[in-house]
Amino acid sequence: MRYEVSLTKDAERDLEEIYLYIAEHDSPASADYVLERLVKATEALRTSPDRGSSVNELRALGISEYRQILFKPYRLIYRAHAKQVIVYVVADGRRDMESLLARRLLGA
């Protein structure tokens, strides 16, 4: 079964900000590489959205419908429903994830 994968506007902005940061602080070639890997990880969800693990910060709150895939140190947090996968967050896992997830997913 193939799933339709989409990114929220916030997730698209995340990718752009990650790219710009790496390009400025490392190199455009490194930024291209990381962006390519993150996009490939996202595209892989088309055929296997169940491959991700649960999100510890959310599981501790009793929320289990979100999953994540990792391209260290980055985390892609998504939810699969029916034949659709929505990516909500693409973030450096070293960030304060609890605050970020509360804002993005729980509206806090």
Side-chain angles (χ1 to χ4, degrees), residues 75-103:
R75 296 168 67 180
L76 288 87
I77 298 173
Y78 65 95
R79 182 175 162 215
H81 181 68
K83 291 186 178 185
Q84 186 174 22
V85 174
I86 300 174
V87 178
Y88 291 93
V89 176
V90 182
D92 186 320
R94 297 170 289 192
R95 290 181 61 181
D96 177 2
M97 291 301 289
E98 288 182 17
S99 296
L100 177 61
L101 295 174
R103 280 193 317 274

Side-chain angles (χ1 to χ4, degrees), residues 3 44-45 47-54 67-69 78 80 85:
Y3 290 74
L45 295 172
T47 57
S48 56
D50 56 340
R51 75 187 192 113
S53 61
S54 62
R67 301 184 72 75
Q68 66 182 350
I69 52 175
Y78 65 95
V85 174

